[in-house]
């Protein structure tokens, strides 16, 4: 009935913001069941959505029921040790992207995407899933989920170093906007930084965000 289903601007939530998706819909680049989608369209289980002719696997991202028999979608959850040099992006055009690094996984046919990200030059455990609802719950700023990081520095940090890190530092990173990477400079929010050192790891810090 009216008001049911999922709004079409949530179909691309794994790769685009709602505002970006609205622009894509307005430009006629999103199709629903073969026709050009409109901003008011709502998606039901079994609907086919494409962006520039490429099918979008929207249902797992929105917890939609399966097309047959009303079965719930079965999600996949994987853990992966990301090595240095791997980029936490699902864009297969980016060299060293995390999906190419992961490769094919037996029994997993749906699209996977990482929960959060690790910088290209860092290594560590990261989770990948087809469950968009879980990803949004964990990463949405409004959820205010606590995040902890254990960081090993080249040399032990001084008290002054720790104070500066805790107060926030200015960083520049590349942000994706309309499919293009643009530099973004901002100050990080204040956080808890404390030593997590041991005789074996004298230069280790614990960050709580």
């Amino acid at each position: 009935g009216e008001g049911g289903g999922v709004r079409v601007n949530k179909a691309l939530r794994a790769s685009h913001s709602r505002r970006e998706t609205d622009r894509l819909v307005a430009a006629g680049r999103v199709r629903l069941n073969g026709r050009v989608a409109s901003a008011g369209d709502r998606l039901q289980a079994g609907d086919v959505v494409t962006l520039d002719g490429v099918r979008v696997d929207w249902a797992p991202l929105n917890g939609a029921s399966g097309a047959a028999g009303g079965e719930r979608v079965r999600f996949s959850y994987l853990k992966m040790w990301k090595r240095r040099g791997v980029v936490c992006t699902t864009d297969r055009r980016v060299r060293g992207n995390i999906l190419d690094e992961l490769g094919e996984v037996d029994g997993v046919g749906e699209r996977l995407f990482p929960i959060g990200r690790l910088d290209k030059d860092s290594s560590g455990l990261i989770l990948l899933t087809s469950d968009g609802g879980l990803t949004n719950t964990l990463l949405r700023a409004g959820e205010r989920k606590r995040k902890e990081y254990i960081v090993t520095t080249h040399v032990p940090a001084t008290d002054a170093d720790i104070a500066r890190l805790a107060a926030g530092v200015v960083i520049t990173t590349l942000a994706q906007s309309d499919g293009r990477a643009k530099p973004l400079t901002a100050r990080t929010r204040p956080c808890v930084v404390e030593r997590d050192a041991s005789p074996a790891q004298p230069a280790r810090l614990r960050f709580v965000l």
Side-chain angles (χ1 to χ4, degrees):
E2 186 176 355
V6 177
R7 286 181 59 87
V8 70
N9 66 356
K10 292 185 178 181
L12 309 180
R13 64 196 307 173
S15 55
H16 298 77
S17 69
R18 289 189 189 182
R19 183 176 298 177
E20 290 170 340
T21 301
D22 286 339
R23 288 199 291 264
L24 293 172
V25 170
R29 295 170 59 185
V30 178
R31 287 181 172 265
L32 172 60
N33 298 326
R35 65 169 176 79
V36 175
S38 60
D41 285 338
R42 305 189 77 91
L43 310 178
Q44 305 292 336
D47 282 343
V48 176
V49 178
T50 59
L51 170 62
D52 295 336
V54 179
R55 185 165 178 167
V56 177
D57 189 16
W58 66 269
L61 304 180
N62 294 279
S65 297
E71 291 185 10
R72 300 294 293 177
V73 173
R74 293 177 63 89
F75 297 121
S76 296
Y77 307 90
L78 303 176
K79 58 183 179 180
M80 172 184 176
W81 183 263
K82 190 195 86 67
R83 63 181 178 83
R84 293 184 63 181
V86 174
V87 183
C88 289
T89 178
T90 58
D91 188 344
R92 308 297 285 256
R93 297 169 297 180
V94 175
R95 185 176 181 181
N97 69 80
I98 195 168
L99 295 184
D100 285 346
E101 175 72 9
L102 179 66
E104 297 296 326
V105 179
D106 291 341
V108 178
E110 65 270 36
R111 182 184 181 187
L112 297 170
F113 40 93
I115 300 178
R117 62 185 295 272
L118 292 172
D119 290 338
K120 180 179 180 180
D121 291 331
S122 66
S123 62
L125 182 68
I126 191 166
L127 302 179
L128 297 99
T129 184
S130 58
D131 186 349
L134 172 64
T135 303
N136 288 326
T137 298
L138 291 175
L139 300 183
R140 190 183 296 119
E143 298 291 340
R144 302 185 65 84
K145 297 295 185 183
R146 170 175 166 149
K147 303 179 183 68
E148 293 191 23
Y149 300 87
I150 302 298
V151 178
T152 301
T153 57
H154 291 294
V155 296
T158 65
D159 290 343
D161 293 332
I162 292 175
R164 282 193 295 269
L165 290 170
V169 295
V170 177
I171 61 173
T172 299
T173 187
L174 291 178
Q176 294 291 330
S177 177
D178 295 328
R180 292 173 294 180
K182 299 179 180 179
L184 175 65
T185 300
R187 178 178 291 275
T188 61
R189 292 181 178 179
C191 64
V192 174
V193 182
E194 57 190 20
R195 288 188 175 86
D196 190 53
S198 67
Q201 296 281 351
R204 195 164 65 180
L205 298 174
R206 175 172 170 265
F207 290 71
V208 182
L209 310 180

